[in-house]
Amino acid sequence: MARRNAKIIDPSGDLDARKASILEAVVAEHIDTAQPVGSTSVAHSRDVKVSPATVRSEMVTLEREGYLAQPHTSAGRVPTDKGYRYFVDHLKSGVMSSAQQHQVSEFFANVRGEVEDVLEQTSTLLSHLTNYTSMVVASGHSHATILSVQLVSMDARHQLLVSVFSDGSVIKHSVTSDFDATHEEVSEASRQLNALLLATTLETRVQVPSRTDHVATLIRESVSVLHAEKPTTDGEQVFIGGSSHVAEVFDGVETVRKVLGILEQELLVVTLVQDILDQGLSVAIGSEHGYEPLSSCAVIVAPVSIDGEPAGAVGLLGPTRMKYREALAAAGVVSQHLTRHFGGEDDLA
Amino acid sequence: MARRNAKIIDPSGDLDARKASILEAVVAEHIDTAQPVGSTSVAHSRDVKVSPATVRSEMVTLEREGYLAQPHTSAGRVPTDKGYRYFVDHLKSGVMSSAQQHQVSEFFANVRGEVEDVLEQTSTLLSHLTNYTSMVVASGHSHATILSVQLVSMDARHQLLVSVFSDGSVIKHSVTSDFDATHEEVSEASRQLNALLLATTLETRVQVPSRTDHVATLIRESVSVLHAEKPTTDGEQVFIGGSSHVAEVFDGVETVRKVLGILEQELLVVTLVQDILDQGLSVAIGSEHGYEPLSSCAVIVAPVSIDGEPAGAVGLLGPTRMKYREALAAAGVVSQHLTRHFGGEDDLA
DNA sequence: CTTTGGCACTCGATTCTACCGAGTGCCAAC
DNA sequence: GTTGGCACTCGGTAGAATCGAGTGCCAAAG
């Protein structure tokens, strides 16, 4: 079509149809062979109607424009991050095999248990579906309200503060006092804490009694440990599935080590996923996410919401040459199922 | 010493002093070079006062007896699992560097938070100390008694059952009813549940009301989900630290994959550690633990107890040629600190 | 002016060979 | 029983030769 313009280097990054199909062919082939791809195989691929020679000359352009790279003279071409980016941006969204679709429906029809269990199992599911490492992130309860708090006496000087939130999460904190508290004092404190904190969020500032008696001290102590929760973690949880796939999917011990090292740090994974989501991306390729150790990785994310509110995300981590179509489809389908699962009729907690 | 008997093949597996020191030298050298070790380097090592020729002839014996193996003719010797076993059985227990000792004390002096957090951080500590993957297992609350149960209403048909145990653990279960329960009904059920279950364990059979009103139904339902907890998992928790070390410490993608695959399955890790503990071992080498995919691994375990009761264990996973002395020392020291930490004055929960 | 087949050239990968040397097993001497 | 000496083995490495996939360029064809 816009052939006449082919000579003009298009700064907007859009390619004419022929370059596009060549780039696509290169990416597609490199994804499944992991080898540099040469002009002949591109020329023979569907959607490319020109001779190897023409392909070659187009490839030098694509290389100059940064979509392809040559490992060394007289080798085939390999896509750059930019090349992959173009590829995924122009990917007509694929669809999962019906066997897999079935597997997912089956899974969500049969899962039981608490949210945490469901999320954990979901991450396993996702990694099995794709053969990549999966991440399932549940955002924190920063704006969940407190449904109940209870102070339970462990022994005279140790109590356990158990708080239940409207999102179904439960957290415990241990409270230590430097005096012996009677059972009566503890349950009185528990009663008052309940009255005090009911329907508040962790961000609400509450008026604590300033008296110095045992009950008041327990209350102050309890409120303080509870509110201390906030700054450290936001209560996000992350479930990682199929980390063993890291070993099959990356080559080079060093890469494997680095990637595993990142996955070990849950906080990092949460922020990574969050960052990508915030950028409005669904795929971050190579250096796009800014984590140097993951520069040979691509990360796919798909948001999950509950009642219209963003509530987390599912993610996949693979090499930049991952099978985007399948992986995107899987992440999408699973995130939709999750959204439906938690939005819908079933147990919320 | 028992030199005169050297010719007699000792079926009990005890070696005369010279063979022992040769075997030890081979193992020690192979551990830090990862190479087959030859007669000359053994002969030059401390504790071995004989010539290479003598070493060689002893080595053929050691090989025949199954302590050493030869990768191929005219290569050095490599220890077999049996060789490593002898080595660790006769290891005079080492001691950690004082810098490390300090690091551990420091850690336990400063660590805060709930048990889970402490255990998780402990596993990180242990893996940092040793450069191996660490496992920290906390046994289940099968004989902990219930301190409190509370049924919290989420919405009309969903309640959350929150149970607090004497070991400081808290578990939640969601309860779904097929009728709309009022707040009053829920709190009445909660009250009765408390009375019913207080001081029982998950194994105690309790008499539930057989009435068909809402409160009784809630109670039956709650008791049932709570007691259903038992069979699936015993409530063990496992924290794995430093899985990225797997990639540095094993060679061969396939091994790395297999090991990571095992580590992914928490249940497997728990039983692995438990099995080894049950066998009364502190190290399981190669095939001793019976997990085929881990046949090139050694696993070190050290029990942790609270108030004299076994309460879990710490473990390390490395290659069969791991640095046993250091790793054993680290696991030992950390398990002791952990035992002291939870047995002692500090927070129990 | 674009496309194409032809062709010389490049350069990593593979294969082959020679060779080195660590290490062994054996034996005769101590 | 221990030791030095010696012939032999065999994996690992280095270098040379070769292969071949793939390129860049050019001249002819459309």
Side-chain angles (χ1 to χ4, degrees):
Chain A
M1 26 188 62
R3 261 214 227 149
R4 278 282 129 87
N5 307 345
K7 270 166 139 177
I8 301 161
I9 292 181
D10 185 346
S12 82
D14 240 349
L15 301 172
D16 68 68
R18 197 171 67 185
K19 283 202 188 61
S21 60
I22 290 176
L23 176 54
E24 211 171 307
V26 172
V27 175
E29 174 140 354
H30 184 258
I31 282 176
D32 69 51
T33 63
Q35 302 277 328
V37 357
S39 54
T40 17
S41 61
V42 171
H44 292 148
S45 94
R46 273 193 12 70
D47 290 343
V48 179
K49 315 282 188 212
V50 292
S51 74
T54 314
V55 171
R56 280 202 287 279
S57 80
E58 289 288 46
M59 290 207 294
V60 318
T61 322
L62 285 167
E63 182 169 2
R64 200 167 39 231
E65 291 175 16
Y67 294 97
L68 295 178
Q70 222 174 354
H72 55 83
T73 333
S74 96
R77 300 308 206 291
V78 157
T80 59
D81 289 355
K82 189 177 175 186
Y84 284 119
R85 165 53 59 200
Y86 186 95
F87 181 78
V88 323
D89 283 345
H90 293 75
L91 203 55
K92 42 232 160 285
S93 52
V95 65
M96 277 168 48
S97 80
S98 63
Q100 289 204 324
Q101 300 221 16
H102 185 71
Q103 193 182 342
V104 176
S105 310
E106 195 80 350
F107 172 84
F108 281 102
N110 294 334
V111 265
R112 311 231 153 285
E114 306 307 306
V115 215
E116 291 79 4
D117 301 336
V118 173
L119 295 181
E120 166 126 50
Q121 290 176 53
T122 302
S123 84
T124 307
L125 171 72
L126 196 48
S127 80
H128 277 123
L129 287 174
T130 58
N131 288 318
Y132 296 120
T133 303
S134 76
M135 303 162 288
V136 175
V137 177
S139 342
H141 35 225
S142 36
H143 45 267
T145 59
I146 292 175
L147 288 185
S148 150
V149 293
Q150 195 188 5
L151 198 60
V152 177
S153 175
M154 304 296 297
D155 62 45
R157 301 191 157 216
H158 297 93
Q159 296 81 34
L160 200 62
L161 180 71
V162 178
S163 321
V164 181
F165 291 80
S166 59
D167 64 351
S169 59
V170 175
I171 28 178
K172 62 168 180 173
H173 296 91
S174 46
V175 176
T176 311
S177 47
D178 48 8
F179 52 84
D180 288 358
T182 66
H183 272 268
E184 287 68 35
E185 286 166 340
V186 171
S187 41
E188 177 55 25
S190 186
R191 197 157 23 247
Q192 292 191 28
L193 276 165
N194 233 314
L196 195 61
L197 295 170
L198 203 66
T200 65
T201 74
L202 284 180
E203 267 128 359
T204 316
R205 297 219 79 36
V206 297
Q207 191 73 37
V208 293
S210 54
R211 291 167 291 131
T212 60
D213 59 301
H214 287 180
V215 172
T217 311
L218 284 173
I219 292 176
R220 272 200 308 281
E221 195 57 35
S222 300
V223 170
S224 127
V225 294
L226 182 57
H227 283 185
E229 172 78 3
K230 198 50 214 336
T232 59
T233 72
D234 212 16
E236 302 94 344
Q237 292 180 292
V238 50
F239 302 90
I240 291 180
S243 45
S244 62
H245 290 303
V246 173
E248 8 183 82
V249 131
F250 292 99
D251 23 37
V253 198
E254 192 46 27
T255 315
V256 175
R257 226 213 72 245
K258 277 198 268 184
V259 174
L260 288 175
I262 297 278
L263 289 175
E264 270 173 37
Q265 296 161 272
E266 309 208 329
L267 199 62
L268 225 57
V269 174
V270 174
T271 55
L272 166 68
V273 169
Q274 204 54 57
D275 284 358
I276 298 175
L277 234 41
D278 290 349
Q279 286 179 57
L281 294 177
S282 61
V283 187
I285 298 165
S287 51
E288 291 176 352
H289 42 59
Y291 287 73
E292 192 278 308
L294 298 185
S295 54
S296 54
C297 303
V299 181
I300 288 182
V301 293
V304 173
S305 51
I306 298 182
D307 304 327
E309 290 288 306
V314 303
L316 283 168
L317 185 149
T320 45
R321 49 168 280 275
M322 78 193 290
K323 299 188 174 172
Y324 292 100
R325 211 189 315 265
E326 291 82 342
L328 278 164
V333 168
V334 169
S335 77
Q336 276 164 31
H337 268 89
L338 262 186
T339 298
R340 205 173 315 142
H341 187 78
F342 289 123
E345 76 303 0
D346 215 19
D347 59 23
L348 202 234
Chain B
M1 25 190 63
R3 264 215 226 145
R4 278 280 128 87
N5 306 346
K7 270 164 140 173
I8 302 160
I9 292 182
D10 186 346
S12 82
D14 240 349
L15 301 172
D16 68 71
R18 199 171 66 183
K19 284 205 189 58
S21 60
I22 290 176
L23 176 55
E24 211 170 308
V26 172
V27 176
E29 173 140 353
H30 184 257
I31 282 175
D32 68 52
T33 63
Q35 302 277 329
V37 357
S39 54
T40 16
S41 61
V42 171
H44 292 148
S45 92
R46 269 190 18 65
D47 290 345
V48 179
K49 316 280 189 214
V50 292
S51 75
T54 314
V55 172
R56 280 201 287 279
S57 80
E58 289 289 44
M59 289 207 294
V60 318
T61 321
L62 285 167
E63 184 171 359
R64 199 166 40 230
E65 290 176 16
Y67 295 96
L68 295 178
Q70 224 174 352
H72 54 86
T73 335
S74 95
R77 297 311 204 293
V78 156
T80 59
D81 289 353
K82 187 176 175 186
Y84 284 119
R85 165 53 59 200
Y86 186 94
F87 181 78
V88 322
D89 283 345
H90 293 75
L91 203 55
K92 44 231 158 285
S93 53
V95 67
M96 276 167 48
S97 81
S98 63
Q100 288 205 326
Q101 298 221 16
H102 186 71
Q103 192 182 342
V104 176
S105 309
E106 195 81 348
F107 171 83
F108 280 103
N110 294 334
V111 70
R112 310 230 154 287
E114 306 307 306
V115 215
E116 289 80 3
D117 301 338
V118 174
L119 296 181
E120 166 126 48
Q121 290 175 55
T122 302
S123 85
T124 307
L125 171 74
L126 196 49
S127 80
H128 276 115
L129 287 173
T130 57
N131 288 318
Y132 296 119
T133 303
S134 76
M135 303 162 288
V136 175
V137 177
S139 344
H141 34 224
S142 36
H143 44 267
T145 60
I146 292 176
L147 288 185
S148 150
V149 292
Q150 196 187 5
L151 198 59
V152 178
S153 176
M154 305 295 296
D155 62 45
R157 300 190 157 216
H158 297 93
Q159 295 82 36
L160 201 63
L161 179 71
V162 178
S163 322
V164 181
F165 290 80
S166 58
D167 64 352
S169 59
V170 175
I171 29 178
K172 61 169 181 172
H173 295 91
S174 46
V175 176
T176 311
S177 46
D178 48 8
F179 53 85
D180 288 357
T182 66
H183 272 267
E184 287 67 35
E185 287 167 340
V186 172
S187 39
E188 178 55 26
S190 186
R191 195 158 23 246
Q192 293 190 27
L193 276 166
N194 232 314
L196 195 61
L197 295 170
L198 203 67
T200 65
T201 73
L202 284 180
E203 268 129 359
T204 316
R205 298 219 73 42
V206 298
Q207 190 74 38
V208 292
S210 53
R211 289 167 291 132
T212 59
D213 57 302
H214 286 181
V215 172
T217 311
L218 284 173
I219 293 175
R220 272 199 309 278
E221 194 57 34
S222 300
V223 170
S224 128
V225 294
L226 182 58
H227 282 185
E229 173 79 3
K230 195 55 213 331
T232 59
T233 72
D234 212 16
E236 301 95 344
Q237 291 179 292
V238 50
F239 303 90
I240 291 180
S243 45
S244 62
H245 291 302
V246 173
E248 5 183 86
V249 132
F250 292 99
D251 24 35
V253 198
E254 193 46 27
T255 316
V256 175
R257 226 214 72 245
K258 276 197 270 185
V259 174
L260 288 175
I262 298 279
L263 289 176
E264 270 171 40
Q265 295 161 272
E266 309 208 328
L267 198 62
L268 226 57
V269 174
V270 173
T271 54
L272 166 68
V273 169
Q274 204 54 55
D275 284 358
I276 300 175
L277 234 41
D278 290 348
Q279 285 179 56
L281 295 177
S282 60
V283 188
I285 299 165
S287 51
E288 291 176 351
H289 42 59
Y291 288 74
E292 191 278 306
L294 298 184
S295 53
S296 54
C297 304
V299 181
I300 290 182
V301 293
V304 172
S305 52
I306 299 183
D307 304 327
E309 290 289 305
V314 302
L316 282 169
L317 185 151
T320 44
R321 48 168 282 273
M322 78 193 290
K323 299 189 173 172
Y324 292 99
R325 210 189 317 263
E326 292 83 340
L328 278 164
V333 168
V334 169
S335 78
Q336 276 165 31
H337 268 90
L338 217 43
T339 297
R340 206 174 313 143
H341 186 78
F342 288 123
E345 76 301 2
D346 213 18
D347 59 25
L348 203 231

